[in-house]
Amino acid sequence: MTADERAAAERRARFGTLPERVAFADLVQEQPPAARPGAGYDPDAQAVRFACLAADLGL
């Protein structure tokens, strides 16, 4: 047994083997899109966006 083989055997004895690979399909959970109840016009949200834009433009 060479020094490299001995070192490899020691590594296997100390660390064991790598865990099995996990399939991508097992990592992903698909869900239908959530219903958006407030998808209509929201004046408060529009005011916040405009205020930020006005501040950015220095108005």
Side-chain angles (χ1 to χ4, degrees):
M1 192 184 267
T2 66
D4 289 337
E5 292 172 341
R6 225 175 304 123
E10 289 176 14
R11 279 193 302 275
R12 273 193 299 279
R14 181 175 179 187
F15 298 111
T17 60
L18 293 174
E20 294 294 320
R21 293 190 73 138
V22 178
F24 180 74
D26 295 336
L27 297 175
V28 177
Q29 178 181 6
E30 293 184 12
Q31 296 178 343
R36 294 179 31 186
Y41 175 72
D42 184 10
D44 293 331
Q46 296 297 326
V48 169
R49 287 192 191 108
F50 179 74
C52 293
L53 177 63
D56 289 343
L57 295 175
L59 301 177

